[in-house]
Amino acid sequence: MDFREMLYITTVADCRSITAAARKLYISQPSLSHIVSKVEQDVGVKLFDRGTSPLTITYAGEKYVETARKILLMSDNLRKELIDAGLGEKGRIVFGMPTERAGYMLPAVIPEFKNQYPGIELQVMEAKSDELLKALLRDDISFYVIPRGQGDLPVGLKAEAIYRERLLLVAEKNMIREDMFLETEKDIHPADHSGIKGCLNLNAMKDLPFIMLKKGHAIRKKTDLVLRQYGIDPKIMIELSSCISAVQLAAAGLGVAIVPQRAVDALGGMARFCCYDFSVTPEFWSVNAVYKEDMYLGRAERYLIDLMKQKFIREASSAAPVPWQ
């Protein structure tokens, strides 16, 4: 067995198809099929049942893949340590972010990162949070940035806080009745609340249509949790893949949406929209870098995560809200 063979076998296991794995590995299907057969002959046992579609992995195959992933991770950790020993002048960082978050966070950190590490190539996998978790477990990425806490992660993963991000409810002003406020607009001090129009009582909003993100997105999981806490079975007007689109539809009066503040900021900020708190203490979630506990983060990877902390902790602190009285 060699590293190349282990990579090929684990890719076939992930894809459950030799054809799909061959495309991902940029080799021909016959070549990959020959390699799989060779490995099976070398170890003396079948790793896959090719009589099913998609193909299934045997018990022996599961054991092979489990061990191969550990060996490949150890090899990658060694490569990073050797790069660090050479002052980190060359290399590649492969990490993940949801698409909109990448557009929001990366422009703030990449220029300074490239100035410090011009020889390091950055590759970003953009996907939903659930897909990024699967990619991390397969070792396709070193870490990913997501608002998902330690308690929501499988054993063996670590969540390192980058910054706290505020959550808002966005709605067209005519959708919000006076009886929905915990605090009426006459009691609001705009300078203290950065453009927040008031604090709403979700219990009074259970009959309104909700604009939701599709399942698999972190904000959908958070919204479902919040609504369950209020005993609300929401009337879902539409499900989307974009928080920015959710803000725009909510502003057009098609429903209400719970979104992270960064989605509002991307469209010009809270001055352009009717944004509300939905609890007496403003809601936040922690945006974290998630990686395997046994993953060695190279010097450049560590620098990239620390840059995100410096930039966004400072930005969040400057916009810190005053709790409702």
Side-chain angles (χ1 to χ4, degrees):
M1 293 183 289
D2 59 29
F3 291 133
R4 186 193 64 157
E5 290 174 347
M6 287 186 282
L7 174 61
Y8 286 0
I9 296 297
T10 56
T11 304
V12 172
D14 291 337
C15 296
R16 297 301 172 100
S17 163
I18 290 180
T19 301
R23 284 198 298 266
K24 186 173 182 179
L25 294 165
Y26 299 101
I27 65 173
S28 69
Q29 186 272 334
S31 295
L32 182 56
S33 188
H34 172 75
I35 291 170
V36 171
S37 297
K38 176 181 177 299
V39 172
E40 290 179 328
Q41 184 176 1
D42 289 343
V43 299
V45 66
K46 288 290 185 183
L47 303 179
F48 301 102
D49 180 358
R50 303 192 214 183
T52 63
S53 181
L55 60 76
T56 54
I57 186 168
T58 65
Y59 177 77
E62 290 176 354
K63 289 300 180 183
Y64 180 102
V65 169
E66 179 183 346
T67 303
R69 290 195 197 284
K70 293 177 181 177
I71 294 172
L72 290 171
L73 177 60
M74 291 172 63
S75 174
D76 191 51
N77 284 346
L78 175 59
R79 179 185 61 82
K80 291 175 183 177
E81 291 187 53
L82 293 176
I83 289 173
D84 279 355
L87 302 179
E89 296 179 355
K90 299 286 185 181
R92 179 175 64 248
I93 298 176
V94 185
F95 64 104
M97 276 190 183
T99 301
E100 288 182 349
R101 185 166 297 282
Y104 170 66
M105 294 183 69
L106 294 183
V109 296
I110 285 182
E112 189 170 342
F113 176 85
K114 294 300 289 185
N115 184 59
Q116 181 71 20
Y117 289 99
I120 299 291
E121 176 189 354
L122 295 178
Q123 291 186 358
V124 186
M125 177 182 179
E126 298 175 80
K128 295 189 294 185
S129 59
D130 285 355
E131 294 169 0
L132 292 172
L133 173 59
K134 293 175 183 176
L136 182 67
L137 294 174
R138 294 194 305 263
D139 297 315
D140 290 346
I141 54 178
S142 296
F143 68 91
Y144 68 107
V145 177
I146 199 74
R148 181 169 288 187
Q150 189 69 54
D152 297 323
L153 297 173
V155 174
L157 298 187
K158 179 179 179 180
E160 179 178 341
I162 295 178
Y163 76 107
R164 294 173 73 234
E165 184 172 67
R166 193 173 187 175
L167 301 179
L168 307 169
L169 186 143
V170 180
E172 199 275 328
K173 64 179 181 179
N174 292 325
M175 294 193 72
I176 305 302
R177 304 186 308 269
E178 190 72 18
D179 65 295
M180 293 178 178
F181 285 93
L182 289 176
E183 297 281 343
T184 60
E185 290 203 29
K186 63 183 176 61
D187 295 325
I188 299 172
H189 304 287
D192 292 338
H193 297 287
S194 306
I196 298 293
K197 300 297 185 184
C199 185
L200 299 175
N201 179 4
L202 283 178
N203 282 321
M205 304 178 67
K206 60 185 178 182
D207 294 328
L208 292 182
F210 277 78
I211 298 164
M212 308 279 274
L213 272 285
K214 294 178 180 178
K215 290 185 182 296
H217 289 273
I219 191 64
R220 173 59 182 269
K221 185 174 183 179
K222 176 66 175 179
T223 301
D224 285 344
L225 176 61
V226 169
L227 296 180
R228 278 199 304 271
Q229 290 172 341
Y230 284 86
I232 296 174
D233 183 14
K235 297 190 297 184
I236 299 177
M237 193 280 292
I238 191 172
E239 293 182 320
L240 304 166
S241 296
S242 165
C243 286
I244 290 176
S245 296
V247 172
Q248 293 171 314
L249 266 63
L254 299 179
V256 300
I258 294 176
V259 297
Q261 183 176 337
R262 57 100 184 152
V264 175
D265 291 342
L267 293 169
M270 285 189 279
R272 290 194 57 203
F273 302 95
C274 293
C275 301
Y276 305 87
D277 282 324
F278 49 93
S279 65
V280 174
T281 301
E283 286 277 347
F284 288 83
W285 61 6
S286 179
V287 178
N288 301 314
V290 177
Y291 47 86
K292 289 185 175 181
E293 290 179 348
D294 56 358
M295 170 66 71
Y296 177 84
L297 291 178
R299 190 178 305 178
E301 289 170 317
R302 183 78 266 160
Y303 183 77
L304 179 59
I305 292 172
D306 288 344
L307 262 187
M308 293 179 191
K309 290 183 183 181
Q310 294 167 19
K311 169 64 180 177
F312 293 100
I313 288 176
R314 183 167 59 246
E315 193 172 278
S317 298
S318 66
V322 177
W324 293 94
Q325 304 296 325

